[in-house]
């Protein structure tokens, strides 16, 4: 038989999973934010390399390498976005 003390203890242990602390952002939110910042830095590096190639300040090898890195970063972001949209659509299809 479950005593009221055991039930209260189980509830207090499960409470953070149900209602996490609203004061601090979760680790997932922080990781998403840092990934977005890294993506923005990658695009800025690409812009700088493209501008440098147009003005003659950057070599072709560096430009091609930067384009490949930017392409990989863009494909990753698009894939993540597609997964988020797919999950959202799946939630919308759930019966209430």
């Amino acid at each position: 038989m479950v005593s009221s003390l055991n039930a209260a203890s189980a509830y207090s242990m499960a409470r953070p999973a149900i209602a996490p602390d609203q004061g601090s952002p979760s680790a997932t939110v922080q990781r998403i934010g840092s990934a977005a910042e890294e993506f923005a830095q990658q695009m800025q590096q690409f812009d700088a390399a493209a501008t440098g190639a147009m003005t003659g300040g950057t070599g072709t090898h560096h430009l091609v390498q930067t384009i490949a890195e930017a392409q990989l970063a863009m494909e990753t972001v698009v894939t993540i976005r597609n997964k988020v949209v797919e999950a959202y659509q799946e939630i919308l299809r759930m019966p209430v």
Side-chain angles (χ1 to χ4, degrees):
M1 181 170 176
V2 178
S3 70
S4 60
L5 183 58
N6 288 340
S9 175
Y11 175 75
S12 66
M13 288 175 36
R15 187 176 180 136
I18 298 168
D21 183 21
Q22 299 296 329
S24 65
S26 68
T28 304
V29 172
Q30 291 176 348
R31 283 186 297 215
I32 291 171
S34 66
E37 289 174 4
E38 289 175 15
F39 176 72
Q41 289 174 354
Q42 183 73 33
M43 292 298 117
Q44 287 175 352
Q45 289 175 356
F46 168 70
D47 287 341
T51 303
M54 286 186 262
T55 59
T58 301
T60 307
H61 178 5
H62 179 67
L63 177 64
V64 170
Q65 182 180 4
T66 306
I67 289 172
E69 291 172 356
Q71 181 181 3
L72 181 62
M74 183 63 74
E75 288 174 359
T76 303
V77 168
V78 168
T79 301
I80 291 170
R81 180 203 56 138
N82 289 344
K83 290 291 184 181
V84 168
V85 169
E86 184 179 313
Y88 178 73
Q89 289 173 344
E90 186 68 26
I91 289 170
L92 288 178
R93 285 190 288 256
M94 288 181 179
V96 178

